[in-house]
Amino acid sequence: MLAAIRAAQLGLNTVCIEMDKTLGGTCVNVGCIPSKRCSTSSEHYEFARLHAAEHGVTIGDVKLDLPTMMKRKDSVVGQNTKGIEFLFRKNKITWAKGRGTLKKGNVVDVAGTDGKAESYRAKSVIIATGSVPVELPFLKFDEKRVLSNIGALTIPVVPKHLLVIGGGVIGLELGSVWRRLGAKVTVVELMPTILPGNDERSSRSDKVFRRQGLDIRVGSKVTVPSSKRIGFWWMSRRLDSRRRLMRTTFWYPLAVSPRSPDRRGGLGFEARKAREIAVDAQLRTNLPNVYAIGDAVGGKLLAHKAEEEGVIAAEVIAGHKVHMDYKSMPSVVYTWPEIATVGLAEHEVKESGRKYKTGKFPFTANARARTSGETSGFIKFIADAETDELLGCHMIGANVSEMIQEAVLAFEFRGSSEDIGITVHSHPTLTEAVKEAALGVLGRSIHI
């Protein structure tokens, strides 16, 4: 979407081929936007039910109206998709409604949703086909009882027990939504920690989620289930010397293993791994004047990554001297507390052999966090031991999805911990914890 808008802004005659009924792709329709709407609604519900009294606010019998909550989610999605349609009209972008197939000579055949066929010959083509949920070999999605992330946003009733297969970002976010709404949620993760690959301190956030009520079982796997009239029976084996077995009934299994690039409808591309399209720093593929962006090229499957790649690809096509740089790419997990990162994890810096220093500051020592009652979490910086250049930043806490941007800006300009540490931060704010963590790298934290 952003690629099309930027291309049109640059004066290029732009056609966007989309087979879904609405624009916006996975993020707007069945990903980021509806899941965050559900997250916010479920957080309001849990606050009213469990935490309002702590603030001196007495609320009567709190009831969940799930249909209204889902209607609100659909309304927000609709507002966003209509907004994109408006931007397409404003920028004179043609929406070709249907499935496109790339042919030789950059000809794209479109099988229209109305049954008609069209062809477009383009000077340049951008592939932005996204990704699709990956089914487990023994577990096929029907989005009614066996769910991907898509079906998990449309469950008609709060399940008694939800099994989440995969302790990554999507599993923790959606599992947290249904836990807040009253479901018992079990998260099974094959790796030794949740959020595998993240900084070690971020991975330890499982303690917070366990206290909230998530049943997290790491180093475990789900074996072949058998469907029963009353639900699903599962065998989960912990992958340690004890090899314990667990057998439990679940209303819904939610499989959220890593998504896979959608490679339907195109010529043969050079692949890096799995189904990812290989591209250079300017998003060029091995085919002449064909570019690829987003989940189709792999890496971190993030909407803002895809958006930035789309802008870069459009500007390269228009003749601008730009390239894609992933050094300052943030990631966010929208649980509560939130988890946000940019740069390298500590184990990655350690493996590189580079000498480094760290600074940490807990929200328990932050005045604003105490006033709001949101003291879970911390800020952590990793910096080069000699130059003080920032190498990584990891945050867990309330609203860190917004706070990470200060670190991202510092990374973009190859800033140091001192740059942040000597910057005046408003008081009282949560962002003072960012300043304190940066000062911690220098051994100068004030409030701990």
Side-chain angles (χ1 to χ4, degrees), residues 162-213:
L162 175 69
L163 172 67
V164 178
I165 306 172
V169 175
I170 299 173
L172 291 175
E173 289 184 1
L174 294 176
S176 294
V177 166
W178 289 106
R179 180 204 60 76
R180 295 185 201 108
L181 298 180
K184 178 180 178 181
V185 178
T186 298
V187 179
V188 177
E189 170 56 50
L190 181 65
M191 302 300 289
T193 66
I194 60 170
L195 301 173
N198 275 29
D199 188 81
E200 182 181 0
R201 285 184 64 88
S202 298
S203 298
R204 291 179 191 167
S205 59
D206 64 346
K207 294 180 181 178
V208 177
F209 301 134
R210 290 178 198 274
R211 286 198 298 268
Q212 293 174 352

Side-chain angles (χ1 to χ4, degrees), residues 274-303:
R275 295 161 58 87
E276 298 173 3
I277 299 174
V279 292
D280 63 14
Q282 294 184 310
L283 290 313
R284 292 187 177 91
T285 71
N286 60 304
L287 302 181
N289 298 318
V290 177
Y291 302 75
I293 64 172
D295 292 0
V297 303
K300 293 183 178 180
L301 306 189
L302 302 169

